[in-house]
mmCIF file of all heavy atoms in Angstrom:
data_model
loop_
_atom_site.group_PDB
_atom_site.id
_atom_site.type_symbol
_atom_site.label_atom_id
_atom_site.label_comp_id
_atom_site.label_asym_id
_atom_site.label_seq_id
_atom_site.Cartn_x
_atom_site.Cartn_y
_atom_site.Cartn_z
ATOM 1 N N ARG A 312 -75.026 6.483 36.597
ATOM 2 C CA ARG A 312 -76.042 6.422 37.647
ATOM 3 C C ARG A 312 -75.403 6.068 38.983
ATOM 4 O O ARG A 312 -74.654 5.103 39.073
ATOM 5 C CB ARG A 312 -77.102 5.382 37.299
ATOM 6 C CG ARG A 312 -77.860 5.679 36.031
ATOM 7 C CD ARG A 312 -78.814 4.536 35.697
ATOM 8 N NE ARG A 312 -79.462 4.733 34.426
ATOM 9 C CZ ARG A 312 -80.600 5.404 34.247
ATOM 10 N NH1 ARG A 312 -81.216 5.931 35.287
ATOM 11 N NH2 ARG A 312 -81.116 5.542 33.045
ATOM 12 N N ILE A 313 -75.743 6.833 39.992
ATOM 13 C CA ILE A 313 -75.262 6.536 41.347
ATOM 14 C C ILE A 313 -75.709 5.142 41.750
ATOM 15 O O ILE A 313 -74.979 4.409 42.399
ATOM 16 C CB ILE A 313 -75.775 7.611 42.337
ATOM 17 C CG1 ILE A 313 -75.140 8.956 41.991
ATOM 18 C CG2 ILE A 313 -75.507 7.217 43.780
ATOM 19 C CD1 ILE A 313 -75.807 10.149 42.640
ATOM 20 N N THR A 314 -76.898 4.768 41.299
ATOM 21 C CA THR A 314 -77.455 3.462 41.651
ATOM 22 C C THR A 314 -76.660 2.302 41.061
ATOM 23 O O THR A 314 -76.868 1.154 41.443
ATOM 24 C CB THR A 314 -78.923 3.353 41.199
ATOM 25 O OG1 THR A 314 -78.999 3.584 39.787
ATOM 26 C CG2 THR A 314 -79.794 4.359 41.947
ATOM 27 N N GLU A 315 -75.730 2.578 40.142
ATOM 28 C CA GLU A 315 -74.902 1.539 39.535
ATOM 29 C C GLU A 315 -73.566 1.353 40.239
ATOM 30 O O GLU A 315 -72.804 0.462 39.891
ATOM 31 C CB GLU A 315 -74.644 1.868 38.065
ATOM 32 C CG GLU A 315 -75.886 1.828 37.208
ATOM 33 C CD GLU A 315 -75.642 2.313 35.787
ATOM 34 O OE1 GLU A 315 -74.563 2.893 35.508
ATOM 35 O OE2 GLU A 315 -76.535 2.117 34.953
ATOM 36 N N THR A 316 -73.278 2.177 41.224
ATOM 37 C CA THR A 316 -71.996 2.048 41.918
ATOM 38 C C THR A 316 -72.053 0.910 42.935
ATOM 39 O O THR A 316 -73.109 0.606 43.491
ATOM 40 C CB THR A 316 -71.615 3.354 42.650
ATOM 41 O OG1 THR A 316 -72.574 3.617 43.682
ATOM 42 C CG2 THR A 316 -71.537 4.540 41.689
ATOM 43 N N ARG A 317 -70.917 0.290 43.146
ATOM 44 C CA ARG A 317 -70.841 -0.801 44.143
ATOM 45 C C ARG A 317 -71.257 -0.297 45.513
ATOM 46 O O ARG A 317 -71.891 -0.999 46.275
ATOM 47 C CB ARG A 317 -69.429 -1.376 44.205
ATOM 48 C CG ARG A 317 -69.067 -2.190 43.016
ATOM 49 C CD ARG A 317 -67.687 -2.774 43.170
ATOM 50 N NE ARG A 317 -67.298 -3.432 41.941
ATOM 51 C CZ ARG A 317 -66.163 -4.028 41.764
ATOM 52 N NH1 ARG A 317 -65.268 -4.048 42.718
ATOM 53 N NH2 ARG A 317 -65.894 -4.609 40.619
ATOM 54 N N TRP A 318 -70.863 0.942 45.817
ATOM 55 C CA TRP A 318 -71.210 1.524 47.118
ATOM 56 C C TRP A 318 -72.721 1.559 47.296
ATOM 57 O O TRP A 318 -73.241 1.121 48.319
ATOM 58 C CB TRP A 318 -70.622 2.938 47.218
ATOM 59 C CG TRP A 318 -71.106 3.691 48.412
ATOM 60 C CD1 TRP A 318 -70.634 3.611 49.688
ATOM 61 C CD2 TRP A 318 -72.195 4.615 48.451
ATOM 62 N NE1 TRP A 318 -71.357 4.439 50.515
ATOM 63 C CE2 TRP A 318 -72.323 5.066 49.770
ATOM 64 C CE3 TRP A 318 -73.068 5.103 47.490
ATOM 65 C CZ2 TRP A 318 -73.284 5.987 50.161
ATOM 66 C CZ3 TRP A 318 -74.028 6.021 47.873
ATOM 67 C CH2 TRP A 318 -74.120 6.452 49.192
ATOM 68 N N PHE A 319 -73.452 2.069 46.297
ATOM 69 C CA PHE A 319 -74.905 2.160 46.393
ATOM 70 C C PHE A 319 -75.522 0.772 46.540
ATOM 71 O O PHE A 319 -76.375 0.544 47.398
ATOM 72 C CB PHE A 319 -75.496 2.862 45.164
ATOM 73 C CG PHE A 319 -76.991 3.000 45.229
ATOM 74 C CD1 PHE A 319 -77.567 4.128 45.758
ATOM 75 C CD2 PHE A 319 -77.827 1.976 44.786
ATOM 76 C CE1 PHE A 319 -78.953 4.251 45.844
ATOM 77 C CE2 PHE A 319 -79.204 2.090 44.858
ATOM 78 C CZ PHE A 319 -79.767 3.226 45.390
ATOM 79 N N VAL A 320 -75.099 -0.144 45.701
ATOM 80 C CA VAL A 320 -75.635 -1.510 45.729
ATOM 81 C C VAL A 320 -75.407 -2.139 47.101
ATOM 82 O O VAL A 320 -76.314 -2.739 47.684
ATOM 83 C CB VAL A 320 -75.017 -2.368 44.607
ATOM 84 C CG1 VAL A 320 -75.402 -3.828 44.747
ATOM 85 C CG2 VAL A 320 -75.436 -1.820 43.243
ATOM 86 N N ARG A 321 -74.213 -1.979 47.652
ATOM 87 C CA ARG A 321 -73.887 -2.536 48.973
ATOM 88 C C ARG A 321 -74.750 -1.893 50.076
ATOM 89 O O ARG A 321 -75.251 -2.575 50.957
ATOM 90 C CB ARG A 321 -72.398 -2.339 49.254
ATOM 91 C CG ARG A 321 -71.906 -3.036 50.499
ATOM 92 C CD ARG A 321 -70.388 -2.912 50.679
ATOM 93 N NE ARG A 321 -69.936 -1.532 50.771
ATOM 94 C CZ ARG A 321 -69.261 -0.875 49.835
ATOM 95 N NH1 ARG A 321 -68.944 -1.439 48.704
ATOM 96 N NH2 ARG A 321 -68.890 0.374 50.027
ATOM 97 N N LYS A 322 -74.945 -0.581 49.991
ATOM 98 C CA LYS A 322 -75.720 0.124 51.022
ATOM 99 C C LYS A 322 -77.215 -0.201 50.943
ATOM 100 O O LYS A 322 -77.937 -0.019 51.917
ATOM 101 C CB LYS A 322 -75.540 1.639 50.902
ATOM 102 C CG LYS A 322 -74.147 2.126 51.214
ATOM 103 C CD LYS A 322 -73.694 1.798 52.610
ATOM 104 C CE LYS A 322 -74.147 2.799 53.599
ATOM 105 N NZ LYS A 322 -73.712 2.543 54.958
ATOM 106 N N HIS A 323 -77.679 -0.686 49.794
ATOM 107 C CA HIS A 323 -79.102 -0.956 49.606
ATOM 108 C C HIS A 323 -79.392 -2.432 49.365
ATOM 109 O O HIS A 323 -80.473 -2.771 48.892
ATOM 110 C CB HIS A 323 -79.639 -0.116 48.444
ATOM 111 C CG HIS A 323 -79.570 1.358 48.723
ATOM 112 N ND1 HIS A 323 -78.444 2.099 48.499
ATOM 113 C CD2 HIS A 323 -80.490 2.210 49.244
ATOM 114 C CE1 HIS A 323 -78.666 3.353 48.862
ATOM 115 N NE2 HIS A 323 -79.905 3.451 49.320
ATOM 116 N N ASP A 324 -78.452 -3.300 49.716
ATOM 117 C CA ASP A 324 -78.611 -4.727 49.413
ATOM 118 C C ASP A 324 -79.784 -5.373 50.147
ATOM 119 O O ASP A 324 -80.307 -6.381 49.694
ATOM 120 C CB ASP A 324 -77.318 -5.501 49.657
ATOM 121 C CG ASP A 324 -76.872 -5.496 51.114
ATOM 122 O OD1 ASP A 324 -77.434 -4.739 51.934
ATOM 123 O OD2 ASP A 324 -75.935 -6.250 51.437
ATOM 124 N N GLU A 325 -80.238 -4.764 51.217
ATOM 125 C CA GLU A 325 -81.356 -5.339 51.967
ATOM 126 C C GLU A 325 -82.722 -4.846 51.474
ATOM 127 O O GLU A 325 -83.764 -5.292 51.949
ATOM 128 C CB GLU A 325 -81.215 -5.062 53.472
ATOM 129 C CG GLU A 325 -81.477 -3.627 53.888
ATOM 130 C CD GLU A 325 -80.325 -2.653 53.646
ATOM 131 O OE1 GLU A 325 -79.264 -3.060 53.148
ATOM 132 O OE2 GLU A 325 -80.503 -1.467 53.960
ATOM 133 N N VAL A 326 -82.721 -3.952 50.515
ATOM 134 C CA VAL A 326 -83.977 -3.420 49.964
ATOM 135 C C VAL A 326 -84.454 -4.346 48.845
ATOM 136 O O VAL A 326 -83.738 -4.581 47.878
ATOM 137 C CB VAL A 326 -83.791 -1.989 49.420
ATOM 138 C CG1 VAL A 326 -85.091 -1.458 48.839
ATOM 139 C CG2 VAL A 326 -83.274 -1.058 50.518
ATOM 140 N N ALA A 327 -85.650 -4.857 49.004
ATOM 141 C CA ALA A 327 -86.214 -5.767 48.007
ATOM 142 C C ALA A 327 -86.451 -5.035 46.683
ATOM 143 O O ALA A 327 -86.840 -3.862 46.681
ATOM 144 C CB ALA A 327 -87.535 -6.344 48.514
ATOM 145 N N ARG A 328 -86.235 -5.722 45.581
ATOM 146 C CA ARG A 328 -86.462 -5.135 44.256
ATOM 147 C C ARG A 328 -87.888 -4.594 44.123
ATOM 148 O O ARG A 328 -88.118 -3.583 43.474
ATOM 149 C CB ARG A 328 -86.212 -6.158 43.161
ATOM 150 C CG ARG A 328 -84.758 -6.402 42.905
ATOM 151 C CD ARG A 328 -84.590 -7.249 41.640
ATOM 152 N NE ARG A 328 -83.202 -7.428 41.338
ATOM 153 C CZ ARG A 328 -82.540 -6.684 40.464
ATOM 154 N NH1 ARG A 328 -83.161 -5.720 39.837
ATOM 155 N NH2 ARG A 328 -81.273 -6.909 40.236
ATOM 156 N N SER A 329 -88.827 -5.258 44.733
ATOM 157 C CA SER A 329 -90.224 -4.826 44.641
ATOM 158 C C SER A 329 -90.436 -3.444 45.283
ATOM 159 O O SER A 329 -91.340 -2.714 44.897
ATOM 160 C CB SER A 329 -91.146 -5.858 45.288
ATOM 161 O OG SER A 329 -90.817 -6.027 46.653
ATOM 162 N N THR A 330 -89.596 -3.095 46.238
ATOM 163 C CA THR A 330 -89.696 -1.785 46.893
ATOM 164 C C THR A 330 -89.462 -0.663 45.886
ATOM 165 O O THR A 330 -90.166 0.345 45.885
ATOM 166 C CB THR A 330 -88.695 -1.674 48.054
ATOM 167 O OG1 THR A 330 -88.951 -2.724 48.987
ATOM 168 C CG2 THR A 330 -88.779 -0.330 48.755
ATOM 169 N N TRP A 331 -88.472 -0.843 45.008
ATOM 170 C CA TRP A 331 -88.134 0.197 44.038
ATOM 171 C C TRP A 331 -89.288 0.479 43.076
ATOM 172 O O TRP A 331 -89.421 1.597 42.586
ATOM 173 C CB TRP A 331 -86.906 -0.181 43.212
ATOM 174 C CG TRP A 331 -85.669 -0.486 44.003
ATOM 175 C CD1 TRP A 331 -84.957 -1.650 43.955
ATOM 176 C CD2 TRP A 331 -84.976 0.341 44.939
ATOM 177 N NE1 TRP A 331 -83.879 -1.582 44.797
ATOM 178 C CE2 TRP A 331 -83.866 -0.367 45.419
ATOM 179 C CE3 TRP A 331 -85.201 1.627 45.433
ATOM 180 C CZ2 TRP A 331 -82.970 0.153 46.343
ATOM 181 C CZ3 TRP A 331 -84.313 2.143 46.369
ATOM 182 C CH2 TRP A 331 -83.216 1.417 46.813
ATOM 183 N N SER A 332 -90.101 -0.532 42.807
ATOM 184 C CA SER A 332 -91.179 -0.345 41.829
ATOM 185 C C SER A 332 -92.502 0.108 42.455
ATOM 186 O O SER A 332 -93.475 0.316 41.738
ATOM 187 C CB SER A 332 -91.381 -1.633 41.027
ATOM 188 O OG SER A 332 -91.713 -2.696 41.873
ATOM 189 N N ARG A 333 -92.517 0.287 43.755
ATOM 190 C CA ARG A 333 -93.738 0.815 44.383
ATOM 191 C C ARG A 333 -94.037 2.205 43.831
ATOM 192 O O ARG A 333 -93.128 2.999 43.607
ATOM 193 C CB ARG A 333 -93.562 0.933 45.903
ATOM 194 C CG ARG A 333 -93.506 -0.368 46.619
ATOM 195 C CD ARG A 333 -93.323 -0.147 48.101
ATOM 196 N NE ARG A 333 -93.056 -1.407 48.759
ATOM 197 C CZ ARG A 333 -92.611 -1.524 49.992
ATOM 198 N NH1 ARG A 333 -92.385 -0.446 50.732
ATOM 199 N NH2 ARG A 333 -92.388 -2.714 50.499
ATOM 200 N N LYS A 334 -95.304 2.499 43.661
ATOM 201 C CA LYS A 334 -95.702 3.816 43.163
ATOM 202 C C LYS A 334 -95.178 4.924 44.082
ATOM 203 O O LYS A 334 -94.781 5.992 43.618
ATOM 204 C CB LYS A 334 -97.229 3.889 43.053
ATOM 205 C CG LYS A 334 -97.721 5.128 42.375
ATOM 206 C CD LYS A 334 -99.225 5.113 42.192
ATOM 207 C CE LYS A 334 -99.670 6.380 41.494
ATOM 208 N NZ LYS A 334 -101.114 6.399 41.311
ATOM 209 N N SER A 335 -95.126 4.675 45.371
ATOM 210 C CA SER A 335 -94.669 5.665 46.345
ATOM 211 C C SER A 335 -93.157 5.885 46.317
ATOM 212 O O SER A 335 -92.662 6.858 46.866
ATOM 213 C CB SER A 335 -95.098 5.246 47.754
ATOM 214 O OG SER A 335 -94.590 3.953 48.043
ATOM 215 N N VAL A 336 -92.426 4.974 45.671
ATOM 216 C CA VAL A 336 -90.971 5.090 45.572
ATOM 217 C C VAL A 336 -90.572 5.453 44.143
ATOM 218 O O VAL A 336 -89.845 6.415 43.922
ATOM 219 C CB VAL A 336 -90.263 3.786 46.012
ATOM 220 C CG1 VAL A 336 -88.761 3.875 45.814
ATOM 221 C CG2 VAL A 336 -90.588 3.474 47.475
ATOM 222 N N GLY A 337 -91.039 4.694 43.180
ATOM 223 C CA GLY A 337 -90.778 4.995 41.774
ATOM 224 C C GLY A 337 -89.548 4.331 41.208
ATOM 225 O O GLY A 337 -89.606 3.679 40.198
ATOM 226 N N SER A 338 -88.404 4.512 41.861
ATOM 227 C CA SER A 338 -87.165 3.876 41.418
ATOM 228 C C SER A 338 -86.093 4.057 42.484
ATOM 229 O O SER A 338 -86.266 4.846 43.414
ATOM 230 C CB SER A 338 -86.677 4.470 40.094
ATOM 231 O OG SER A 338 -86.069 5.722 40.310
ATOM 232 N N ALA A 339 -84.992 3.367 42.294
ATOM 233 C CA ALA A 339 -83.866 3.485 43.230
ATOM 234 C C ALA A 339 -83.265 4.887 43.200
ATOM 235 O O ALA A 339 -82.612 5.308 44.147
ATOM 236 C CB ALA A 339 -82.803 2.448 42.888
ATOM 237 N N ALA A 340 -83.514 5.623 42.131
ATOM 238 C CA ALA A 340 -82.971 6.977 41.999
ATOM 239 C C ALA A 340 -83.744 8.015 42.810
ATOM 240 O O ALA A 340 -83.280 9.141 42.973
ATOM 241 C CB ALA A 340 -82.950 7.387 40.533
ATOM 242 N N ASN A 341 -84.894 7.656 43.332
ATOM 243 C CA ASN A 341 -85.708 8.598 44.098
ATOM 244 C C ASN A 341 -85.328 8.535 45.579
ATOM 245 O O ASN A 341 -86.076 8.040 46.408
ATOM 246 C CB ASN A 341 -87.197 8.293 43.906
ATOM 247 C CG ASN A 341 -88.080 9.304 44.603
ATOM 248 O OD1 ASN A 341 -87.619 10.347 45.052
ATOM 249 N ND2 ASN A 341 -89.353 8.989 44.700
ATOM 250 N N CYS A 342 -84.169 9.060 45.901
ATOM 251 C CA CYS A 342 -83.629 9.004 47.264
ATOM 252 C C CYS A 342 -84.610 9.559 48.304
ATOM 253 O O CYS A 342 -84.752 9.019 49.396
ATOM 254 C CB CYS A 342 -82.324 9.787 47.353
ATOM 255 S SG CYS A 342 -81.082 9.281 46.181
ATOM 256 N N ALA A 343 -85.276 10.646 47.942
ATOM 257 C CA ALA A 343 -86.161 11.328 48.884
ATOM 258 C C ALA A 343 -87.375 10.500 49.291
ATOM 259 O O ALA A 343 -88.010 10.796 50.303
ATOM 260 C CB ALA A 343 -86.613 12.661 48.307
ATOM 261 N N ALA A 344 -87.685 9.457 48.531
ATOM 262 C CA ALA A 344 -88.827 8.617 48.901
ATOM 263 C C ALA A 344 -88.602 7.957 50.258
ATOM 264 O O ALA A 344 -89.544 7.814 51.033
ATOM 265 C CB ALA A 344 -89.066 7.546 47.836
#
């Protein structure tokens, strides 16, 4: 998973975990959201 790379984690460190679970986002893998 791209979302498991250090690069991804570092680039998204300011995104709250709750953001990923929003219905409008779905998960960290939904880049287009």
Side-chain angles (χ1 to χ4, degrees):
R312 298 175 185 272
I313 294 165
T314 57
E315 294 173 348
T316 64
R317 288 182 187 180
W318 171 82
F319 181 92
V320 172
R321 188 175 59 252
K322 293 300 275 181
H323 296 85
D324 64 350
E325 73 281 359
V326 179
R328 284 190 177 263
S329 60
T330 302
W331 303 123
S332 60
R333 290 180 189 167
K334 188 176 180 180
S335 57
V336 176
S338 77
N341 184 12
C342 305

